[in-house]
Amino acid sequence: MSAFFQTNLGIVILTLLESLALIVPLLIGVAYLTWFERKVMGAIQLRKGPNVVGPFGLAQPFADAIKMLMKETITPAGADKLLFTLAPMITFGLAIIAWAVIPVNNHWAIADINVGGLYLFAISSLGVYGIIIAGWASNSKYAFLGALRSAAQMVSYEVSMGFVIVTVLICAGSLNLNNIVLAQRHLWFAIPLFPLFVIFFISGLAETNRAPFDLAEGESEIVAGFFVEYSAMSFALFFLGEYANMILISAMTTTLFLGGWLSPVPFLPGGVLWFLLKLLICLFVFVWVRATLPRLRYDQLMALGWKVFLPITLVYLVAVAGVLEYFGWLPNA
């Protein structure tokens, strides 16, 4: 029995170390994504961006974190205190645990499971719960309206994203994300599935409530949306959750369409640096879109998801499956 417990204890410790090796750089990355966004938007708008705290403003994220930690967390008198407190934790926690199956290099994932695609489906579908709970528990009409908007938006675009992911899984013949990357050794899926690549990225903008789909935070009509009543670290967790989801969507785009860690140059080896470079390019596009495009009306947002993206992804899914079956390229065909 002692050997059994020692073995299991070793597995637990190893898993914890692997988790820390992923979570710590991810949290630092989330912090510096805020700096990166402000710098890029400053350059686009002919401003300097953060430039006071530390050289080039590099200490600004830590100054913001200290400020948030020192502020008082205020809970509205009519709020459901337990759910009000849990909501930001759920949102941030789901954004972190989804990373368990993302391979940053060959078999470099905390959980290199054969159903990684299904795992991402499950986690992304749970993300809406934190937002709905926050809107309802705040006992505020503005927060509740923002939560309803965000829930409808996320559910609508999850359908299109699901069809896109299923199409990629059919092409790769596996639910394992590591195998999906290896299936792109000769040709990235972004090339033959280019319309789906664009739809997936745009749907990612809607999933993360980013401009031009930030209707849940419409300052002109609902003040700030589902987190209007939050302050201090509770607000910071929602803020960090949004940026962690941005990095997650960029990582999913890189894994599913851009060859993951594989090198685009034939004579150069692949590795983590290629994965990070592709990730940064996707994040730059996130920021670029925010700085250049105006917010859509809500009816335009829903019409785009249901009347444009859904039919295109459904037709593309059937067409790709039909072509692969006809030519005998489907796995086990």
Side-chain angles (χ1 to χ4, degrees):
M1 287 294 291
S2 60
F4 173 79
F5 282 118
Q6 285 177 357
T7 303
N8 281 281
L9 181 62
I11 292 172
V12 169
I13 292 173
L14 180 61
T15 305
L16 286 174
L17 291 175
E18 288 177 345
S19 301
L20 285 174
L22 175 69
I23 290 172
V24 172
L26 180 59
L27 291 177
I28 294 172
V30 167
Y32 273 100
L33 179 56
T34 63
W35 174 87
F36 175 75
E37 179 178 44
R38 292 164 72 179
K39 275 292 188 183
V40 171
M41 289 186 67
I44 291 173
Q45 298 166 357
L46 300 180
R47 297 184 290 104
K48 287 187 177 182
N51 64 338
V52 175
V53 187
F56 306 105
L58 285 170
Q60 187 67 52
F62 298 104
D64 292 338
I66 293 170
K67 180 189 74 171
M68 289 291 184
L69 284 168
M70 293 178 67
K71 284 182 176 290
E72 179 186 1
T73 300
I74 300 171
T75 305
D80 185 316
K81 292 180 173 56
L82 176 62
L83 293 179
F84 186 84
T85 305
L86 282 178
M89 299 180 188
I90 293 171
T91 300
F92 181 69
L94 289 172
I96 297 298
I97 65 174
W99 274 87
V101 296
I102 300 290
V104 298
N105 204 343
N106 196 11
H107 295 293
W108 281 27
I110 293 175
D112 188 15
I113 56 178
N114 289 327
V115 288
L118 193 60
Y119 178 87
L120 288 178
F121 269 130
I123 297 301
S124 64
S125 64
L126 291 173
V128 71
Y129 285 101
I131 289 170
I132 289 214
I133 290 171
W136 185 83
S138 297
N139 195 30
S140 163
K141 66 181 80 172
Y142 299 112
F144 190 58
L145 182 56
L148 289 178
R149 279 186 173 189
S150 187
Q153 176 177 324
M154 292 175 74
V155 169
S156 299
Y157 282 87
E158 270 176 13
V159 179
S160 299
M161 290 184 77
F163 281 134
V164 172
I165 294 174
V166 169
T167 307
V168 171
L169 298 179
I170 289 174
C171 292
S174 175
L175 280 166
N176 185 292
L177 296 178
N178 200 84
N179 293 342
I180 291 172
V181 173
L182 294 176
Q184 302 175 66
R185 285 188 298 264
H186 307 296
L187 183 67
W188 293 356
F189 288 150
I191 297 172
L193 304 178
F194 185 74
L196 296 188
F197 167 58
V198 174
I199 287 173
F200 183 84
F201 192 81
I202 295 174
S203 297
L205 291 172
E207 277 287 295
T208 52
N209 290 317
R210 294 284 300 180
F213 306 108
D214 54 340
L215 276 300
E217 306 169 15
E219 292 88 353
S220 56
E221 68 273 11
I222 53 174
V223 190
F226 56 90
F227 53 79
V228 65
E229 300 291 348
Y230 283 89
S231 60
M233 278 309 295
S234 298
F235 170 81
L237 284 176
F238 274 121
F239 189 73
L240 293 174
E242 177 183 317
Y243 281 80
N245 278 319
M246 283 173 58
I247 300 176
L248 176 63
I249 292 293
S250 298
M252 289 174 64
T253 305
T254 299
T255 301
L256 297 175
F257 290 101
L258 301 177
W261 66 84
L262 298 175
S263 169
V265 184
F267 55 84
L268 289 178
V272 180
L273 290 179
W274 282 116
F275 182 89
L276 293 176
L277 178 61
K278 296 170 187 177
L279 189 73
L280 279 173
I281 292 171
C282 292
L283 289 172
F284 173 78
V285 177
F286 263 93
V287 178
W288 187 13
V289 167
R290 180 183 176 185
T292 53
L293 295 180
R295 181 181 295 144
L296 274 68
R297 292 199 319 264
Y298 199 74
D299 60 304
Q300 294 173 328
L301 169 78
M302 300 305 283
L304 179 66
W306 290 106
K307 295 181 179 179
V308 180
F309 285 0
L310 180 59
I312 292 175
T313 52
L314 186 56
V315 169
Y316 222 99
L317 170 61
V318 175
V320 168
V323 168
L324 293 178
E325 174 68 21
Y326 180 78
F327 287 102
W329 294 340
L330 273 178
N332 303 320

